[in-house]
mmCIF file of all heavy atoms in Angstrom:
data_model
loop_
_atom_site.group_PDB
_atom_site.id
_atom_site.type_symbol
_atom_site.label_atom_id
_atom_site.label_comp_id
_atom_site.label_asym_id
_atom_site.label_seq_id
_atom_site.Cartn_x
_atom_site.Cartn_y
_atom_site.Cartn_z
ATOM 1 N N LYS W 108 0.834 -1.205 0.000
ATOM 2 C CA LYS W 108 0.000 0.000 0.000
ATOM 3 C C LYS W 108 0.868 1.255 0.000
ATOM 4 O O LYS W 108 0.564 2.234 -0.692
ATOM 5 C CB LYS W 108 -0.932 -0.014 1.212
ATOM 6 C CG LYS W 108 -2.049 -1.048 1.091
ATOM 7 C CD LYS W 108 -2.964 -1.048 2.288
ATOM 8 C CE LYS W 108 -4.056 -2.114 2.115
ATOM 9 N NZ LYS W 108 -4.921 -2.218 3.299
ATOM 10 N N ALA W 109 1.961 1.216 0.760
ATOM 11 C CA ALA W 109 2.884 2.369 0.793
ATOM 12 C C ALA W 109 3.536 2.553 -0.578
ATOM 13 O O ALA W 109 3.744 3.693 -1.022
ATOM 14 C CB ALA W 109 3.947 2.148 1.866
ATOM 15 N N LEU W 110 3.862 1.442 -1.253
ATOM 16 C CA LEU W 110 4.464 1.546 -2.588
ATOM 17 C C LEU W 110 3.476 2.152 -3.574
ATOM 18 O O LEU W 110 3.831 3.054 -4.355
ATOM 19 C CB LEU W 110 4.917 0.166 -3.074
ATOM 20 C CG LEU W 110 5.541 0.128 -4.471
ATOM 21 C CD1 LEU W 110 6.805 0.983 -4.548
ATOM 22 C CD2 LEU W 110 5.863 -1.315 -4.883
ATOM 23 N N ALA W 111 2.236 1.689 -3.555
ATOM 24 C CA ALA W 111 1.228 2.211 -4.480
ATOM 25 C C ALA W 111 1.013 3.704 -4.300
ATOM 26 O O ALA W 111 0.729 4.422 -5.268
ATOM 27 C CB ALA W 111 -0.082 1.448 -4.305
ATOM 28 N N GLU W 112 1.165 4.196 -3.068
ATOM 29 C CA GLU W 112 1.013 5.633 -2.818
ATOM 30 C C GLU W 112 2.073 6.464 -3.533
ATOM 31 O O GLU W 112 1.867 7.644 -3.826
ATOM 32 C CB GLU W 112 1.059 5.908 -1.310
ATOM 33 C CG GLU W 112 -0.200 5.466 -0.577
ATOM 34 C CD GLU W 112 -0.080 5.584 0.932
ATOM 35 O OE1 GLU W 112 0.930 6.163 1.408
ATOM 36 O OE2 GLU W 112 -0.973 5.085 1.639
ATOM 37 N N LEU W 113 3.226 5.844 -3.814
ATOM 38 C CA LEU W 113 4.302 6.533 -4.537
ATOM 39 C C LEU W 113 4.090 6.524 -6.044
ATOM 40 O O LEU W 113 4.801 7.210 -6.776
ATOM 41 C CB LEU W 113 5.647 5.851 -4.257
ATOM 42 C CG LEU W 113 6.269 5.947 -2.867
ATOM 43 C CD1 LEU W 113 7.571 5.164 -2.838
ATOM 44 C CD2 LEU W 113 6.508 7.405 -2.489
ATOM 45 N N LEU W 114 3.134 5.707 -6.516
ATOM 46 C CA LEU W 114 3.038 5.415 -7.945
ATOM 47 C C LEU W 114 1.649 5.736 -8.487
ATOM 48 O O LEU W 114 0.766 4.874 -8.543
ATOM 49 C CB LEU W 114 3.356 3.927 -8.190
ATOM 50 C CG LEU W 114 4.698 3.436 -7.629
ATOM 51 C CD1 LEU W 114 4.786 1.922 -7.709
ATOM 52 C CD2 LEU W 114 5.860 4.099 -8.352
ATOM 53 N N PRO W 115 1.416 6.978 -8.913
ATOM 54 C CA PRO W 115 0.116 7.359 -9.457
ATOM 55 C C PRO W 115 -0.262 6.467 -10.645
ATOM 56 O O PRO W 115 0.576 6.169 -11.500
ATOM 57 C CB PRO W 115 0.333 8.814 -9.912
ATOM 58 C CG PRO W 115 1.522 9.283 -9.148
ATOM 59 C CD PRO W 115 2.383 8.086 -8.930
ATOM 60 N N GLY W 116 -1.506 6.043 -10.672
ATOM 61 C CA GLY W 116 -1.975 5.231 -11.799
ATOM 62 C C GLY W 116 -1.796 3.740 -11.606
ATOM 63 O O GLY W 116 -2.169 2.951 -12.473
ATOM 64 N N PHE W 117 -1.230 3.337 -10.462
ATOM 65 C CA PHE W 117 -1.050 1.910 -10.185
ATOM 66 C C PHE W 117 -1.830 1.532 -8.934
ATOM 67 O O PHE W 117 -1.839 2.269 -7.948
ATOM 68 C CB PHE W 117 0.436 1.572 -10.011
ATOM 69 C CG PHE W 117 1.205 1.654 -11.299
ATOM 70 C CD1 PHE W 117 1.766 2.857 -11.705
ATOM 71 C CD2 PHE W 117 1.350 0.539 -12.113
ATOM 72 C CE1 PHE W 117 2.461 2.956 -12.894
ATOM 73 C CE2 PHE W 117 2.041 0.627 -13.310
ATOM 74 C CZ PHE W 117 2.597 1.825 -13.706
ATOM 75 N N ARG W 118 -2.483 0.389 -9.003
ATOM 76 C CA ARG W 118 -3.329 -0.074 -7.906
ATOM 77 C C ARG W 118 -2.681 -1.267 -7.215
ATOM 78 O O ARG W 118 -2.230 -2.208 -7.870
ATOM 79 C CB ARG W 118 -4.694 -0.483 -8.467
ATOM 80 C CG ARG W 118 -5.713 -0.901 -7.428
ATOM 81 C CD ARG W 118 -7.110 -1.053 -8.028
ATOM 82 N NE ARG W 118 -7.204 -2.167 -8.963
ATOM 83 C CZ ARG W 118 -7.343 -2.046 -10.278
ATOM 84 N NH1 ARG W 118 -7.379 -0.830 -10.827
ATOM 85 N NH2 ARG W 118 -7.451 -3.093 -11.048
ATOM 86 N N PHE W 119 -2.636 -1.230 -5.889
ATOM 87 C CA PHE W 119 -2.123 -2.358 -5.110
ATOM 88 C C PHE W 119 -3.147 -3.485 -5.121
ATOM 89 O O PHE W 119 -4.326 -3.272 -4.821
ATOM 90 C CB PHE W 119 -1.846 -1.909 -3.671
ATOM 91 C CG PHE W 119 -1.603 -3.051 -2.715
ATOM 92 C CD1 PHE W 119 -0.485 -3.857 -2.834
ATOM 93 C CD2 PHE W 119 -2.509 -3.324 -1.704
ATOM 94 C CE1 PHE W 119 -0.263 -4.914 -1.958
ATOM 95 C CE2 PHE W 119 -2.296 -4.367 -0.813
ATOM 96 C CZ PHE W 119 -1.169 -5.168 -0.948
ATOM 97 N N MET W 120 -2.682 -4.704 -5.464
ATOM 98 C CA MET W 120 -3.572 -5.857 -5.531
ATOM 99 C C MET W 120 -3.366 -6.808 -4.347
ATOM 100 O O MET W 120 -4.297 -7.170 -3.654
ATOM 101 C CB MET W 120 -3.365 -6.611 -6.850
ATOM 102 C CG MET W 120 -3.560 -5.747 -8.094
ATOM 103 S SD MET W 120 -5.211 -5.006 -8.186
ATOM 104 C CE MET W 120 -6.215 -6.460 -8.466
ATOM 105 N N GLU W 121 -2.130 -7.227 -4.148
ATOM 106 C CA GLU W 121 -1.813 -8.169 -3.069
ATOM 107 C C GLU W 121 -0.310 -8.183 -2.877
ATOM 108 O O GLU W 121 0.436 -7.627 -3.691
ATOM 109 C CB GLU W 121 -2.319 -9.587 -3.395
ATOM 110 C CG GLU W 121 -1.692 -10.169 -4.663
ATOM 111 C CD GLU W 121 -2.296 -11.517 -5.041
ATOM 112 O OE1 GLU W 121 -3.501 -11.729 -4.782
ATOM 113 O OE2 GLU W 121 -1.573 -12.348 -5.612
ATOM 114 N N GLU W 122 0.129 -8.843 -1.804
ATOM 115 C CA GLU W 122 1.567 -9.001 -1.607
ATOM 116 C C GLU W 122 1.840 -10.371 -0.995
ATOM 117 O O GLU W 122 0.987 -10.947 -0.311
ATOM 118 C CB GLU W 122 2.141 -7.879 -0.735
ATOM 119 C CG GLU W 122 1.595 -7.827 0.669
ATOM 120 C CD GLU W 122 2.050 -6.569 1.414
ATOM 121 O OE1 GLU W 122 2.494 -5.606 0.784
ATOM 122 O OE2 GLU W 122 1.906 -6.573 2.657
ATOM 123 N N HIS W 123 3.022 -10.857 -1.266
ATOM 124 C CA HIS W 123 3.440 -12.170 -0.792
ATOM 125 C C HIS W 123 4.791 -12.043 -0.108
ATOM 126 O O HIS W 123 5.757 -11.565 -0.714
ATOM 127 C CB HIS W 123 3.539 -13.162 -1.959
ATOM 128 C CG HIS W 123 2.232 -13.371 -2.646
ATOM 129 N ND1 HIS W 123 1.363 -14.378 -2.308
ATOM 130 C CD2 HIS W 123 1.638 -12.674 -3.654
ATOM 131 C CE1 HIS W 123 0.289 -14.305 -3.071
ATOM 132 N NE2 HIS W 123 0.428 -13.276 -3.898
ATOM 133 N N SER W 124 4.848 -12.460 1.147
ATOM 134 C CA SER W 124 6.119 -12.472 1.863
ATOM 135 C C SER W 124 6.969 -13.637 1.357
ATOM 136 O O SER W 124 6.448 -14.707 1.007
ATOM 137 C CB SER W 124 5.863 -12.624 3.356
ATOM 138 O OG SER W 124 7.064 -12.893 4.036
ATOM 139 N N LEU W 125 8.283 -13.448 1.322
ATOM 140 C CA LEU W 125 9.154 -14.553 0.906
ATOM 141 C C LEU W 125 9.150 -15.695 1.911
ATOM 142 O O LEU W 125 9.662 -16.780 1.616
ATOM 143 C CB LEU W 125 10.586 -14.051 0.678
ATOM 144 C CG LEU W 125 10.811 -13.101 -0.500
ATOM 145 C CD1 LEU W 125 12.274 -13.099 -0.911
ATOM 146 C CD2 LEU W 125 9.929 -13.410 -1.697
ATOM 147 N N THR W 126 8.544 -15.471 3.089
ATOM 148 C CA THR W 126 8.379 -16.584 4.032
ATOM 149 C C THR W 126 7.544 -17.706 3.396
ATOM 150 O O THR W 126 7.698 -18.870 3.752
ATOM 151 C CB THR W 126 7.712 -16.114 5.336
ATOM 152 O OG1 THR W 126 6.515 -15.392 5.023
ATOM 153 C CG2 THR W 126 8.638 -15.224 6.138
ATOM 154 N N GLU W 127 6.684 -17.357 2.443
ATOM 155 C CA GLU W 127 5.891 -18.374 1.740
ATOM 156 C C GLU W 127 6.799 -19.323 0.973
ATOM 157 O O GLU W 127 6.557 -20.532 0.921
ATOM 158 C CB GLU W 127 4.898 -17.710 0.781
ATOM 159 C CG GLU W 127 3.833 -16.879 1.463
ATOM 160 C CD GLU W 127 2.957 -16.121 0.477
ATOM 161 O OE1 GLU W 127 2.813 -16.570 -0.687
ATOM 162 O OE2 GLU W 127 2.402 -15.067 0.851
ATOM 163 N N GLY W 128 7.837 -18.772 0.362
ATOM 164 C CA GLY W 128 8.809 -19.602 -0.343
ATOM 165 C C GLY W 128 9.710 -20.360 0.618
ATOM 166 O O GLY W 128 10.037 -21.535 0.382
ATOM 167 N N MET W 129 10.099 -19.697 1.703
ATOM 168 C CA MET W 129 10.957 -20.343 2.704
ATOM 169 C C MET W 129 10.298 -21.593 3.275
ATOM 170 O O MET W 129 10.957 -22.599 3.557
ATOM 171 C CB MET W 129 11.270 -19.373 3.844
ATOM 172 C CG MET W 129 12.079 -18.158 3.453
ATOM 173 S SD MET W 129 13.819 -18.496 3.166
ATOM 174 C CE MET W 129 14.416 -18.681 4.835
ATOM 175 N N ALA W 130 8.981 -21.547 3.434
ATOM 176 C CA ALA W 130 8.247 -22.670 4.030
ATOM 177 C C ALA W 130 8.358 -23.940 3.200
ATOM 178 O O ALA W 130 8.201 -25.043 3.727
ATOM 179 C CB ALA W 130 6.782 -22.284 4.215
ATOM 180 N N VAL W 131 8.658 -23.811 1.912
ATOM 181 C CA VAL W 131 8.770 -24.984 1.040
ATOM 182 C C VAL W 131 9.971 -25.851 1.430
ATOM 183 O O VAL W 131 9.903 -27.080 1.388
ATOM 184 C CB VAL W 131 8.878 -24.551 -0.447
ATOM 185 C CG1 VAL W 131 9.199 -25.732 -1.359
ATOM 186 C CG2 VAL W 131 7.589 -23.863 -0.878
ATOM 187 N N PHE W 132 11.088 -25.208 1.846
ATOM 188 C CA PHE W 132 12.290 -25.987 2.168
ATOM 189 C C PHE W 132 12.716 -25.883 3.634
ATOM 190 O O PHE W 132 13.638 -26.572 4.068
ATOM 191 C CB PHE W 132 13.466 -25.599 1.249
ATOM 192 C CG PHE W 132 13.820 -24.137 1.262
ATOM 193 C CD1 PHE W 132 14.701 -23.607 2.202
ATOM 194 C CD2 PHE W 132 13.287 -23.280 0.308
ATOM 195 C CE1 PHE W 132 15.022 -22.269 2.205
ATOM 196 C CE2 PHE W 132 13.608 -21.919 0.299
ATOM 197 C CZ PHE W 132 14.480 -21.419 1.257
ATOM 198 N N ALA W 133 12.047 -25.021 4.401
ATOM 199 C CA ALA W 133 12.321 -24.898 5.845
ATOM 200 C C ALA W 133 10.973 -24.885 6.562
ATOM 201 O O ALA W 133 10.378 -23.818 6.745
ATOM 202 C CB ALA W 133 13.117 -23.634 6.132
ATOM 203 N N PRO W 134 10.468 -26.059 6.941
ATOM 204 C CA PRO W 134 9.103 -26.175 7.474
ATOM 205 C C PRO W 134 8.774 -25.256 8.639
ATOM 206 O O PRO W 134 7.611 -24.893 8.822
ATOM 207 C CB PRO W 134 9.023 -27.648 7.890
ATOM 208 C CG PRO W 134 10.013 -28.342 7.002
ATOM 209 C CD PRO W 134 11.125 -27.368 6.802
ATOM 210 N N ILE W 135 9.768 -24.822 9.412
ATOM 211 C CA ILE W 135 9.507 -23.916 10.534
ATOM 212 C C ILE W 135 8.817 -22.638 10.052
ATOM 213 O O ILE W 135 8.059 -22.007 10.790
ATOM 214 C CB ILE W 135 10.824 -23.572 11.294
ATOM 215 C CG1 ILE W 135 10.533 -22.749 12.565
ATOM 216 C CG2 ILE W 135 11.799 -22.830 10.411
ATOM 217 C CD1 ILE W 135 9.767 -23.466 13.619
ATOM 218 N N TYR W 136 9.044 -22.261 8.789
ATOM 219 C CA TYR W 136 8.447 -21.041 8.255
ATOM 220 C C TYR W 136 6.945 -21.174 8.026
ATOM 221 O O TYR W 136 6.254 -20.167 7.838
ATOM 222 C CB TYR W 136 9.163 -20.593 6.978
ATOM 223 C CG TYR W 136 10.414 -19.802 7.290
ATOM 224 C CD1 TYR W 136 11.637 -20.433 7.433
ATOM 225 C CD2 TYR W 136 10.361 -18.423 7.480
ATOM 226 C CE1 TYR W 136 12.785 -19.714 7.757
ATOM 227 C CE2 TYR W 136 11.495 -17.691 7.797
ATOM 228 C CZ TYR W 136 12.698 -18.346 7.937
ATOM 229 O OH TYR W 136 13.817 -17.628 8.265
ATOM 230 N N LYS W 137 6.427 -22.403 8.041
ATOM 231 C CA LYS W 137 4.974 -22.560 7.981
ATOM 232 C C LYS W 137 4.348 -21.948 9.229
ATOM 233 O O LYS W 137 3.245 -21.401 9.183
ATOM 234 C CB LYS W 137 4.612 -24.039 7.870
ATOM 235 C CG LYS W 137 4.967 -24.634 6.512
ATOM 236 C CD LYS W 137 4.652 -26.105 6.449
ATOM 237 C CE LYS W 137 5.084 -26.687 5.100
ATOM 238 N NZ LYS W 137 4.889 -28.151 5.038
ATOM 239 N N LEU W 138 5.074 -22.028 10.343
ATOM 240 C CA LEU W 138 4.621 -21.387 11.583
ATOM 241 C C LEU W 138 5.000 -19.913 11.618
ATOM 242 O O LEU W 138 4.177 -19.047 11.950
ATOM 243 C CB LEU W 138 5.237 -22.103 12.789
ATOM 244 C CG LEU W 138 4.812 -23.567 12.999
ATOM 245 C CD1 LEU W 138 5.618 -24.184 14.131
ATOM 246 C CD2 LEU W 138 3.318 -23.654 13.300
ATOM 247 N N LEU W 139 6.268 -19.623 11.255
ATOM 248 C CA LEU W 139 6.743 -18.230 11.304
ATOM 249 C C LEU W 139 5.955 -17.329 10.361
ATOM 250 O O LEU W 139 5.767 -16.141 10.631
ATOM 251 C CB LEU W 139 8.236 -18.178 10.966
ATOM 252 C CG LEU W 139 9.178 -18.867 11.960
ATOM 253 C CD1 LEU W 139 10.614 -18.828 11.451
ATOM 254 C CD2 LEU W 139 9.076 -18.219 13.341
ATOM 255 N N ASP W 140 5.489 -17.906 9.244
ATOM 256 C CA ASP W 140 4.731 -17.137 8.257
ATOM 257 C C ASP W 140 3.428 -16.592 8.850
ATOM 258 O O ASP W 140 2.868 -15.623 8.346
ATOM 259 C CB ASP W 140 4.426 -18.029 7.040
ATOM 260 C CG ASP W 140 3.723 -17.267 5.939
ATOM 261 O OD1 ASP W 140 4.195 -16.168 5.587
ATOM 262 O OD2 ASP W 140 2.697 -17.750 5.420
ATOM 263 N N LYS W 141 2.965 -17.208 9.918
ATOM 264 C CA LYS W 141 1.728 -16.755 10.560
ATOM 265 C C LYS W 141 1.956 -15.566 11.500
ATOM 266 O O LYS W 141 1.006 -14.959 11.972
ATOM 267 C CB LYS W 141 1.081 -17.910 11.336
ATOM 268 C CG LYS W 141 0.690 -19.099 10.456
ATOM 269 C CD LYS W 141 0.045 -20.196 11.280
ATOM 270 C CE LYS W 141 -0.130 -21.479 10.482
ATOM 271 N NZ LYS W 141 -0.924 -21.303 9.257
ATOM 272 N N LEU W 142 3.225 -15.265 11.761
ATOM 273 C CA LEU W 142 3.554 -14.156 12.666
ATOM 274 C C LEU W 142 3.709 -12.864 11.861
ATOM 275 O O LEU W 142 4.599 -12.760 11.014
ATOM 276 C CB LEU W 142 4.850 -14.454 13.427
ATOM 277 C CG LEU W 142 4.864 -15.724 14.291
ATOM 278 C CD1 LEU W 142 6.258 -15.941 14.877
ATOM 279 C CD2 LEU W 142 3.820 -15.629 15.400
ATOM 280 N N PRO W 143 2.871 -11.860 12.108
ATOM 281 C CA PRO W 143 2.946 -10.611 11.340
ATOM 282 C C PRO W 143 4.337 -9.981 11.348
ATOM 283 O O PRO W 143 4.790 -9.445 10.335
ATOM 284 C CB PRO W 143 1.917 -9.711 12.034
ATOM 285 C CG PRO W 143 0.950 -10.663 12.650
ATOM 286 C CD PRO W 143 1.759 -11.850 13.074
ATOM 287 N N THR W 144 5.036 -10.044 12.485
ATOM 288 C CA THR W 144 6.369 -9.433 12.579
ATOM 289 C C THR W 144 7.335 -10.063 11.586
ATOM 290 O O THR W 144 8.095 -9.369 10.907
ATOM 291 C CB THR W 144 6.937 -9.590 14.003
ATOM 292 O OG1 THR W 144 5.992 -9.072 14.931
ATOM 293 C CG2 THR W 144 8.243 -8.840 14.153
ATOM 294 N N VAL W 145 7.295 -11.380 11.482
ATOM 295 C CA VAL W 145 8.197 -12.091 10.567
ATOM 296 C C VAL W 145 7.820 -11.788 9.121
ATOM 297 O O VAL W 145 8.674 -11.500 8.279
ATOM 298 C CB VAL W 145 8.169 -13.614 10.838
ATOM 299 C CG1 VAL W 145 9.038 -14.360 9.826
ATOM 300 C CG2 VAL W 145 8.643 -13.902 12.256
ATOM 301 N N ARG W 146 6.522 -11.866 8.814
ATOM 302 C CA ARG W 146 6.059 -11.573 7.444
ATOM 303 C C ARG W 146 6.435 -10.146 7.039
ATOM 304 O O ARG W 146 6.861 -9.900 5.911
ATOM 305 C CB ARG W 146 4.542 -11.737 7.340
ATOM 306 C CG ARG W 146 4.051 -13.175 7.309
ATOM 307 C CD ARG W 146 2.550 -13.234 7.054
ATOM 308 N NE ARG W 146 2.214 -12.741 5.725
ATOM 309 C CZ ARG W 146 2.243 -13.495 4.629
ATOM 310 N NH1 ARG W 146 2.596 -14.757 4.695
ATOM 311 N NH2 ARG W 146 1.920 -12.981 3.463
ATOM 312 N N ASN W 147 6.279 -9.209 7.962
ATOM 313 C CA ASN W 147 6.513 -7.806 7.637
ATOM 314 C C ASN W 147 7.977 -7.504 7.357
ATOM 315 O O ASN W 147 8.299 -6.651 6.525
ATOM 316 C CB ASN W 147 6.009 -6.907 8.769
ATOM 317 C CG ASN W 147 4.502 -6.879 8.847
ATOM 318 O OD1 ASN W 147 3.818 -7.256 7.900
ATOM 319 N ND2 ASN W 147 3.968 -6.461 9.989
ATOM 320 N N ILE W 148 8.868 -8.191 8.057
ATOM 321 C CA ILE W 148 10.290 -7.864 7.914
ATOM 322 C C ILE W 148 10.928 -8.582 6.713
ATOM 323 O O ILE W 148 11.988 -8.206 6.229
ATOM 324 C CB ILE W 148 11.051 -8.176 9.224
ATOM 325 C CG1 ILE W 148 12.221 -7.206 9.384
ATOM 326 C CG2 ILE W 148 11.486 -9.627 9.305
ATOM 327 C CD1 ILE W 148 12.703 -7.051 10.795
ATOM 328 N N SER W 149 10.256 -9.606 6.237
ATOM 329 C CA SER W 149 10.761 -10.353 5.078
ATOM 330 C C SER W 149 10.600 -9.522 3.797
ATOM 331 O O SER W 149 9.714 -8.666 3.704
ATOM 332 C CB SER W 149 9.971 -11.659 4.949
ATOM 333 O OG SER W 149 10.261 -12.306 3.738
ATOM 334 N N ASN W 150 11.457 -9.802 2.805
ATOM 335 C CA ASN W 150 11.223 -9.233 1.477
ATOM 336 C C ASN W 150 9.838 -9.631 0.995
ATOM 337 O O ASN W 150 9.316 -10.683 1.356
ATOM 338 C CB ASN W 150 12.263 -9.735 0.478
ATOM 339 C CG ASN W 150 13.583 -8.999 0.588
ATOM 340 O OD1 ASN W 150 13.912 -8.452 1.641
ATOM 341 N ND2 ASN W 150 14.355 -9.003 -0.484
ATOM 342 N N LYS W 151 9.258 -8.788 0.139
ATOM 343 C CA LYS W 151 7.926 -9.064 -0.377
ATOM 344 C C LYS W 151 7.915 -9.052 -1.905
ATOM 345 O O LYS W 151 8.729 -8.351 -2.530
ATOM 346 C CB LYS W 151 6.934 -7.990 0.114
ATOM 347 C CG LYS W 151 6.661 -8.042 1.605
ATOM 348 C CD LYS W 151 5.698 -6.942 2.014
ATOM 349 C CE LYS W 151 5.328 -7.073 3.496
ATOM 350 N NZ LYS W 151 6.504 -6.981 4.377
ATOM 351 N N ILE W 152 7.002 -9.804 -2.468
ATOM 352 C CA ILE W 152 6.637 -9.647 -3.874
ATOM 353 C C ILE W 152 5.305 -8.932 -3.876
ATOM 354 O O ILE W 152 4.286 -9.473 -3.423
ATOM 355 C CB ILE W 152 6.528 -11.001 -4.606
ATOM 356 C CG1 ILE W 152 7.836 -11.809 -4.472
ATOM 357 C CG2 ILE W 152 6.178 -10.760 -6.075
ATOM 358 C CD1 ILE W 152 9.074 -11.174 -5.046
ATOM 359 N N ILE W 153 5.327 -7.706 -4.348
ATOM 360 C CA ILE W 153 4.111 -6.879 -4.380
ATOM 361 C C ILE W 153 3.507 -6.936 -5.779
ATOM 362 O O ILE W 153 4.203 -6.807 -6.782
ATOM 363 C CB ILE W 153 4.448 -5.421 -3.991
ATOM 364 C CG1 ILE W 153 4.914 -5.390 -2.516
ATOM 365 C CG2 ILE W 153 3.257 -4.501 -4.199
ATOM 366 C CD1 ILE W 153 5.489 -4.064 -2.088
ATOM 367 N N VAL W 154 2.197 -7.161 -5.813
ATOM 368 C CA VAL W 154 1.473 -7.236 -7.096
ATOM 369 C C VAL W 154 0.711 -5.932 -7.282
ATOM 370 O O VAL W 154 -0.127 -5.551 -6.447
ATOM 371 C CB VAL W 154 0.506 -8.437 -7.120
ATOM 372 C CG1 VAL W 154 -0.221 -8.502 -8.467
ATOM 373 C CG2 VAL W 154 1.263 -9.740 -6.854
#
């Protein structure tokens, strides 16, 4: 949402924390991904 505010004419759709990818090979991230603090500090893919 903060990124979209910088970019007139673009609409924020969704975002994905890289914890989603981490969970594929490090199962602990299936739990960590549920923690807002961890999700927020991770790199994101913003759509």
Side-chain angles (χ1 to χ4, degrees):
K108 288 180 180 176
L110 179 61
E112 287 173 8
L113 291 179
L114 306 170
F117 290 88
R118 184 170 67 250
F119 167 66
M120 303 301 292
E121 61 185 32
E122 63 188 18
H123 298 267
S124 169
L125 293 201
T126 51
E127 295 174 26
M129 296 285 285
V131 172
F132 56 87
I135 186 66
Y136 277 90
K137 289 178 183 175
L138 295 174
L139 295 176
D140 184 48
K141 299 181 190 303
L142 301 175
T144 306
V145 176
R146 285 186 66 85
N147 289 343
I148 211 158
S149 170
N150 280 25
K151 292 179 175 60
I152 304 299
I153 295 170
V154 181

